[in-house]
Amino acid sequence: MKHQEQIEAYWSDPARERELVGAIARLVNVKSVKGDPEPGKPFGPGPAAALDEALALCRELGFSTSDYDHYVGLADLNDKETRLHILGHLDVVGEGSGWDTDPYTCVEKDGMLYGRGVSDDKGPVVCALLAMKAVRDLGLPLSANVRCILGTDEESGSADIAYYYAREPYAPMAFTPDADFPLIHIEKGHYHPDFGAQWESSDAKPRVAALTGGFRTNVVPPEAEAMVLGLYALDVEPVCDQVAARTGAVFTVSGSASGCHIHCAGKNAHAASPDGGINAIAALLEVLAALPLAGCAGTDAIRSMHELFPFGDNRGRALGIAQSDAESGELTLNLAVMTLTETGFSAKFDVRFPLCANEDNCKRACEASFAAHGIAVTGAPDMTTVHCVSADSPLVRTLLACYETYTGEPNAQPIAIGGGTYVHDIPGGVAFGCQFPGFDPKMHAANEQARIDQLLLSCKIFTQAIAELCGG
């Protein structure tokens, strides 16, 4: 491929690795979890601070920058007509628990980087920016501009990108380095309703007086807890031990004069890959449903939720919505958030559905299963569309050729994922990197990690891609 020798030589300089790691560390060191909006900070102070730091970095790299009301920032390589948008995000999910290092300090050890955002998505953002710089440093001929769009709300709904594209046109081509290599051309649709039930309080015992678990729709809940009145540690611990052996969850039971408190520790993971986590809510429901609880509305709700969301059913079989197709794969389900009180419960799940899904076999089927248990959908957003780009599009073919050139992998094929990225609503947009097959970046989990050699390889691929897509 043209320019490959120059690009390989450029990125073989050890100074490039130092520049890469240093820039990633600057961004990781900013805790950019979404917070309450403030004037000039639509997603809170953390994402705003990360954007300020990223734009400062872009200016130091020699790019012209723009700030769209702190929703997104822009870095432009030149003043020609823009042909390519590269979309990355600076916001991150919360750290959760279980880290071996400070999540907001980028730690380098044995060729790895650790810290929240090293893979999702601050590390890949830096790869894209340094690839733009490499094209300029090498003097590769360009007939068009590449614009890097630095977002601040990808993890919480992408209101930032909607704000930008409500004011500016799409580019002819777009990719986001926020998923997997070789290339993502299909992103499953999303469905995540609110649901629950209400009832009169009861004095019956034993009963579950309270339950809470989960903190984000797109994260497998790592913790859940419940207060049980009328049962004590000796009554509950044998059941917890049995469920722990089956699920891998860890239970801690503490007693009180009126009953006991049960804490369940699971394992968080991205909702698009729920098999990689241990759902603490579902595991706790396994325990509660097995206890000799008194008959009351709260007990009925616990047992209904256990029946509809049994532990390990990450495909929605019990809910009656399991389905798959050859092109886009299986539907996945994550019971993400649940709160129960003496007078009712509310919950939320995250479904990622394939091309074959529709309102009848997904949304209405789900609502029918709920209705059979006296559970109502209280917030029913529409199912989003599946994003699908032809595997034969010029953008897909060019990007796959760049990937094959630098990895040596022949006949790389585009794939489908359950995750949603910035390009989900961008016509013709695809997700391209930076996660390589066989490597677990631990996104949305403790000890998020990235391999430095893979980040450098991504830089080479992106450099070539910019040269190919924006070249003369």
Side-chain angles (χ1 to χ4, degrees), residues 188-191 320-325 328-329 331 349 351-367 381-386:
K188 295 177 184 177
H190 295 185
Y191 177 52
I321 60 174
Q323 56 196 289
S324 65
D325 58 55
S328 54
L331 177 147
F349 68 63
V351 155
R352 313 290 173 106
F353 59 82
L355 285 163
C356 61
N358 55 50
E359 289 212 349
D360 285 335
N361 63 27
C362 186
K363 181 179 178 180
R364 294 190 182 97
C366 166
E367 292 174 349
D382 292 333
M383 296 168 60
T384 67
T385 58
V386 179

Side-chain angles (χ1 to χ4, degrees), residues 106-311:
C106 184
V107 175
E108 180 180 357
K109 182 179 180 182
D110 298 330
M112 299 279 285
L113 298 181
Y114 299 91
R116 180 60 86 217
V118 293
S119 284
D120 185 21
D121 189 36
K122 294 175 178 179
V125 164
V126 170
C127 290
L129 291 172
L130 294 185
M132 291 167 59
K133 177 177 180 287
V135 169
R136 187 195 62 212
D137 290 350
L138 289 169
L140 303 183
L142 297 180
S143 60
N145 177 48
V146 55
R147 169 174 290 174
C148 187
I149 301 177
L150 306 165
T152 58
D153 187 46
E154 194 275 344
E155 299 291 3
S156 302
S158 299
D160 53 345
I161 295 300
Y163 184 89
Y164 173 75
Y165 282 119
R167 290 156 178 79
E168 299 292 345
Y170 297 117
M173 295 178 287
F175 75 80
T176 179
D178 188 24
D180 300 336
F181 281 127
L183 181 143
I184 309 300
H185 75 129
I186 296 176
E187 296 181 7
K188 295 177 184 177
H190 295 185
Y191 177 52
H192 37 77
D194 297 300
F195 57 95
Q198 299 296 313
W199 54 78
E200 297 291 330
S201 62
S202 171
D203 293 328
K205 291 183 181 178
R207 72 178 187 275
V208 178
L211 181 154
T212 184
F215 64 98
R216 289 180 67 94
T217 305
N218 62 351
V219 177
V220 174
E223 294 184 279
E225 57 187 343
M227 183 66 199
V228 181
L229 302 180
L231 290 176
Y232 302 90
L234 290 176
D235 305 313
V236 171
E237 284 175 342
V239 178
C240 289
D241 291 343
Q242 294 170 7
V243 173
R246 292 199 307 271
T247 65
V250 177
F251 295 92
T252 304
V253 182
S254 55
S256 71
S258 57
C260 65
H261 176 271
I262 307 171
H263 178 271
C264 177
K267 177 185 176 184
N268 63 355
H270 197 293
S273 305
D275 296 350
I278 298 175
N279 192 308
I281 298 175
L284 181 57
L285 288 172
E286 291 272 323
V287 168
L288 298 177
L291 297 178
L293 300 174
C296 64
T299 297
D300 291 342
I302 290 290
R303 291 177 176 162
S304 290
M305 285 294 289
H306 171 250
E307 183 176 335
L308 293 170
F309 299 97
F311 184 87

Side-chain angles (χ1 to χ4, degrees), residues 304-349:
S304 290
M305 285 294 289
H306 171 250
E307 183 176 335
L308 293 170
F309 299 97
F311 184 87
D313 182 8
N314 298 327
R315 301 295 181 269
R317 295 184 182 90
L319 201 57
I321 60 174
Q323 56 196 289
S324 65
D325 58 55
E327 190 174 7
S328 54
E330 295 181 299
L331 177 147
T332 62
L333 180 147
N334 170 48
L335 176 59
V337 181
M338 182 175 175
T339 300
L340 180 142
T341 69
E342 294 277 29
T343 59
F345 88 93
S346 61
K348 197 175 188 74
F349 68 63

Side-chain angles (χ1 to χ4, degrees), residues 357-402:
N358 55 50
E359 289 212 349
D360 285 335
N361 63 27
C362 186
K363 181 179 178 180
R364 294 190 182 97
C366 166
E367 292 174 349
S369 294
F370 282 155
H373 287 265
I375 297 171
V377 174
T378 56
D382 292 333
M383 296 168 60
T384 67
T385 58
V386 179
H387 179 73
C388 183
V389 178
S390 171
D392 292 325
S393 78
L395 176 62
V396 171
R397 292 200 305 268
T398 298
L399 293 179
L400 285 177
C402 293

